[in-house]
Amino acid sequence: MRRRLDGFELDVAFQADEGRVVLFGPSGAGKSLTLQAITGVMRPDAGRVEVNGRLLFDGASGLNLPPQERRMGYVPQSYALFPHLTVQQNVAYGIQRLDAARRRALVQDMVELAGLQGLERRRPHELSGGQQQRVALARALASRPELLVLDEPFSNIDTGLRGTLRRELLDLQARSGIATLVVTHDLDDAFFLGSRIVVIDRGRVLQAGSREDIFYRPATRRVAEFVGTRNILRATVLESTSQRLLLDWQGRLLEADPLPLSQGQEVDVCIRPTQVMIVRSDRLPHLPPPENPLCGTIVGEALQAEAYVLRFRLTDPATTGRTAPYDLEIELPDYVYFRLGLNQKKDATISIHRSSMHVIPVAEVVGARCCPG
């Protein structure tokens, strides 16, 4: 679908069969416009919107169902609960068309589904943020929607509660069996909630695919940056065969899995910080040679929750002319940090497995606008 606004053009296309789809991207990427087009709040200039085989919008024929006929359960960032109504009354708000007996039964079913037993007579100000979210979900599910739409579901939740609420949301979605579209700019939310992720930026879909594809096989450098691939190395192809891909990075040789590339071609090598391994020096003589060994020094570190993020600088003479303060980031659990003695010794040998390196030809990045998948 397409929509042109002042200074911005939305042109997105994606499809998904999985139960949970995440629309992920930075602020201003076009996520909210896409959401408005799907829910019927905004009319696109052209294109189609279809859910479960039911056509909701078709620019060619002029079909444009109003929001109330699209059978979608929408949960906004603010939850939009009515402050003067109880939990029961908020859940029942969207099903007034039912007779009293059926309405009471359905409300009770939704209260139990959302784990709100005992809170039925409370008002929103008497609930925690997580409980308010469950009320909003129960209200959206009560109308038996074909699609549940969640707009930044954890933006109002303290960081410490997000893990619990993510698990509760997954459990609730699994028990309801209703397809769910989540819109978020939070990387952790996207990774945890999405069985399929659609990355959008500047009004275009950059990549759509499984969670593993998006995080470990990004289609472009920009997608790699969005999903937290903090090691993106510019390298040059030295040799490309059916057995291996040999790369030159800062005068060091890196061997990756084979790709049909040309000698001399520039590439971006994406390596997630958790995929860089530190080799124990006492085990080096007793093990097969590590893949892509690199020697260097830890020149910076930070403790984040239960993991250490290390900044690693190569000590090879070929890199002595570089001005960057470090060459790679490494992330590892704190118990591994201490087991390796890195709290005392900062010189280390690292290893990067071939399978841990995702290679993106630079030529494919230039001018890339839309890869719907």
Side-chain angles (χ1 to χ4, degrees), residues 11-16 21-25 196-227 229 270 272 358-360 364-365 368-373:
D11 188 356
V12 300
F14 65 90
Q15 60 183 28
V21 179
V22 169
L23 191 62
F24 172 70
R196 183 174 177 85
I197 297 175
V198 179
V199 182
I200 185 171
D201 183 43
R202 301 173 185 174
R204 302 290 189 273
V205 172
L206 301 184
Q207 186 176 356
S210 69
R211 174 172 53 196
E212 290 71 23
D213 279 340
I214 299 297
F215 279 82
Y216 297 107
R217 293 175 290 276
T220 69
R221 183 187 183 99
R222 192 162 181 82
V223 174
E225 293 169 345
F226 285 161
V227 299
T229 308
C270 302
R272 299 193 70 85
H358 175 66
V359 178
I360 305 173
E364 292 186 10
V365 178
R369 294 184 61 193
C370 182
C371 303

Side-chain angles (χ1 to χ4, degrees), residues 205-276:
V205 172
L206 301 184
Q207 186 176 356
S210 69
R211 174 172 53 196
E212 290 71 23
D213 279 340
I214 299 297
F215 279 82
Y216 297 107
R217 293 175 290 276
T220 69
R221 183 187 183 99
R222 192 162 181 82
V223 174
E225 293 169 345
F226 285 161
V227 299
T229 308
R230 298 196 295 273
N231 298 314
I232 305 177
L233 318 177
R234 182 58 56 89
T236 304
V237 175
L238 293 179
E239 177 185 311
S240 178
T241 70
S242 58
Q243 286 76 41
R244 69 172 185 174
L245 181 66
L246 193 62
L247 305 172
D248 174 12
W249 171 57
Q250 298 181 190
R252 298 302 302 263
L253 297 182
L254 295 178
E255 187 173 320
D257 286 337
L259 276 178
L261 300 176
S262 304
Q263 185 177 2
Q265 188 170 354
E266 282 195 320
V267 296
D268 285 323
V269 182
C270 302
I271 306 166
R272 299 193 70 85
T274 54
Q275 301 292 303
V276 182

